[in-house]
């Protein structure tokens, strides 16, 4: 036979009971922790916060300096005439990448321009009609 | 030089924080008062808070985890968080509300970790039958504990905070960040779910 279910009041009184007491291990751990806080006041959160702010400010400054040093392309880079520095630049100052690009351009220039001409379709149709 | 632990404990058990710390009697919540002093670096107040709240916290965590080791670990973490939060503490609500908000957040994180790292159990094994031995409430204890642990956190926590800790519906609403009417609904549902689970388990 099934036993009757406990009432709400019985369940509540059961829940109010203390199911677990703090063990000696817990108490000694708490004691050690508070002892540590007493002997190391500098390690408290308040003491750590200003140091964190200084570190964060330094990191921010270094990041800003690095960004300022990065070569960011501007409109003057795309239009050399707009930049006196680039307009007067020595052509011999080219990089290996520039050399490759110039070599390709020379190759294109060397090809007979007639190769690129459109075939005369009128003559072709007249011949084959 | 620190006082011996036994003497400190006896002193704390026999008087309120105001008497113990030679403070003038006020209407202010003793927990809030103690936490404000912890924020000013007073470790005697921290010791008082731990002594006053370790049992309720361990009990709350034990009812939710059914593990004594987990309950003590979570209680320790709660006190650590409380100490770290003390310098920024504003006594806008009762201390209990503040403490159990921390406790509940820790519990949610704990449950998430448990889901990620499931315990090694045989999924095919039949659940262990738990039968109350008689009609006495004492015989139901294990069954109620299992049924309670099987409730979802959203229902179990408001029931525990209301019955165990005696928090008002308004205070529970602040801990759970829900409306007061929602708290009432959750407690009502939790009781119904608990009864259904008790029927299933018995």
């Amino acid at each position: 036979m099934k036993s009757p279910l406990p009432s709400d009041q019985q369940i509540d009184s059961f829940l109010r009971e203390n199911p677990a007491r703090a063990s000696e291990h817990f108490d000694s751990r708490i004691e050690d922790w508070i002892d540590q806080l007493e002997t190391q006041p500098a390690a408290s959160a308040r003491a750590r916060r200003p140091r964190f702010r200084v570190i964060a400010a330094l990191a921010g400054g270094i990041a800003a300096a690095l960004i300022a040093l990065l070569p960011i392309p501007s409109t003057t880079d795309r239009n050399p005439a707009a930049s006196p520095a680039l307009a007067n630049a020595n052509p011999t100052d080219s990089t290996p990448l520039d050399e490759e690009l110039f070599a390709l351009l020379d190759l294109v220039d060397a090809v007979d321009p007639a190769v690129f001409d459109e075939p005369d379709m009128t003559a072709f149709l007249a011949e084959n009609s | 030089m620190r006082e011996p632990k036994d003497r400190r404990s006896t002193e704390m058990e026999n008087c309120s924080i105001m008497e113990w710390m030679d403070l003038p009697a006020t209407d202010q919540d003793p927990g809030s008062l103690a936490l404000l002093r912890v924020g000013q670096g007073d470790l005697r107040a921290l010791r008082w808070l731990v002594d006053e709240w370790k049992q309720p916290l361990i009990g709350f965590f034990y009812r939710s985890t059914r593990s004594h080791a987990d309950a003590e670990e979570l209680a320790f973490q709660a006190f650590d968080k409380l100490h770290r939060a003390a310098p920024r503490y504003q006594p806008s609500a009762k201390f209990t509300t503040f403490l159990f908000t921390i406790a509940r957040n820790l519990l949610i994180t704990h449950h998430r970790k448990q889901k990620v790292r499931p315990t090694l159990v045989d999924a095919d094994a039949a659940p262990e039958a738990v039968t109350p031995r008689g009609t006495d409430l004492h015989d139901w204890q294990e069954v109620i504990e299992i049924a309670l642990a099987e409730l979802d956190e959203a229902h179990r926590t408001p029931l525990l905070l209301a019955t165990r800790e005696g928090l008002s519906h308004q205070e529970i609403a602040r801990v759970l960040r829900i409306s007061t009417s929602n708290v009432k609904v959750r407690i009502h549902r939790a009781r119904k779910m608990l009864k259904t689970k008790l029927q299933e388990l018995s």
Side-chain angles (χ1 to χ4, degrees):
Chain A
M1 195 181 113
K2 276 192 171 183
S3 49
L5 290 174
S7 66
D8 280 349
Q9 286 77 22
Q10 282 179 310
I11 292 173
D12 284 2
S13 71
F14 167 75
L15 292 179
R16 271 193 290 271
E17 278 176 22
N18 235 337
R21 294 199 68 80
S23 66
E24 276 182 28
H25 169 73
F26 179 83
D27 285 336
S28 67
R29 193 178 171 194
I30 289 284
E31 282 299 312
D32 290 347
W33 173 56
I34 296 178
D35 282 354
Q36 204 183 343
L37 292 174
E38 275 174 348
T39 51
Q40 298 175 345
S44 72
R46 272 189 299 174
R48 269 201 306 270
R49 254 184 292 144
R51 207 183 308 159
F52 172 75
R53 282 198 202 119
V54 170
I55 292 166
L58 277 173
I62 291 166
L66 284 173
I67 288 166
L69 288 172
L70 278 175
I72 300 165
S74 65
T75 48
T76 53
D77 292 336
R78 289 192 293 273
N79 180 15
S83 165
L86 279 175
N88 299 327
N90 188 346
T92 56
D93 291 347
S94 54
T95 64
L97 201 66
D98 290 340
E99 295 298 334
E100 279 182 37
L101 185 67
F102 296 148
L104 271 171
L105 285 172
D106 288 346
L107 202 67
V108 170
D109 289 344
V111 177
D112 184 358
V115 171
F116 297 107
D117 287 350
E118 285 182 13
D120 187 349
M121 292 305 289
T122 321
F124 176 80
L125 288 171
E127 278 174 21
N128 292 283
S129 59
Chain B
M1 173 118 177
R2 288 174 50 218
E3 298 165 46
K5 187 192 160 193
D6 289 346
R7 197 179 139 203
R8 277 200 315 265
S9 301
T10 318
E11 281 177 2
M12 277 186 261
E13 280 162 19
N14 294 337
C15 59
S16 73
I17 188 169
M18 279 73 130
E19 291 165 336
W20 185 61
M21 297 182 76
D22 302 324
L23 294 172
T26 62
D27 292 336
Q28 208 175 347
D29 178 12
S32 296
L33 197 67
L35 192 55
L36 283 171
R37 292 191 69 103
V38 173
Q40 291 158 7
D42 190 338
L43 293 174
R44 282 198 312 162
L46 178 65
R47 207 179 285 280
W48 182 85
L49 277 176
V50 172
D51 260 50
E52 196 76 5
W53 288 97
K54 66 181 178 187
Q55 283 311 141
L57 269 185
I58 292 173
F60 171 75
F61 286 129
Y62 179 79
R63 289 277 187 237
S64 304
T65 61
R66 290 200 75 222
S67 158
H68 199 272
D70 286 350
E72 288 198 342
E73 176 57 35
L74 289 167
F76 182 80
Q77 285 180 25
F79 287 124
D80 186 40
K81 277 195 180 290
L82 197 66
H83 174 250
R84 284 167 193 267
R88 286 168 279 123
Y89 175 65
Q90 301 282 328
S92 56
K94 253 179 88 175
F95 170 75
T96 330
T97 315
F98 187 69
L99 180 68
F100 280 98
T101 304
I102 291 175
R104 193 214 170 206
N105 289 342
L106 283 169
L107 195 61
I108 290 171
T109 312
H110 173 78
H111 285 319
R112 278 189 194 142
K113 280 182 190 166
Q114 293 290 103
K115 274 182 191 169
V116 174
R117 198 180 337 118
T119 48
L120 293 168
V121 289
D122 184 0
D124 297 329
E128 199 181 325
V130 184
T131 314
R133 293 180 293 276
T135 54
D136 188 9
L137 179 67
H138 181 76
D139 301 325
W140 279 94
Q141 279 188 0
E142 201 184 347
V143 191
I144 297 173
E145 271 187 15
I146 294 169
L148 191 67
E150 282 183 6
L151 287 186
D152 59 306
E153 191 277 329
H155 289 93
R156 183 180 52 235
T157 300
L159 181 67
L160 284 177
L161 291 179
T163 54
R164 261 191 68 78
E165 312 307 331
L167 262 67
S168 70
H169 290 161
Q170 215 170 357
E171 286 164 352
I172 298 170
R174 288 192 79 154
V175 172
L176 304 180
R177 296 197 185 106
I178 55 173
S179 67
T180 314
S181 52
N182 203 343
V183 170
K184 289 178 193 169
V185 170
R186 285 196 194 184
I187 292 173
H188 176 72
R189 280 190 190 152
R191 286 189 191 285
K192 274 181 80 174
M193 287 156 82
L194 198 60
K195 284 273 174 78
T196 312
K197 282 190 184 292
L198 286 178
Q199 267 172 337
E200 286 169 7
L201 287 165
S202 64

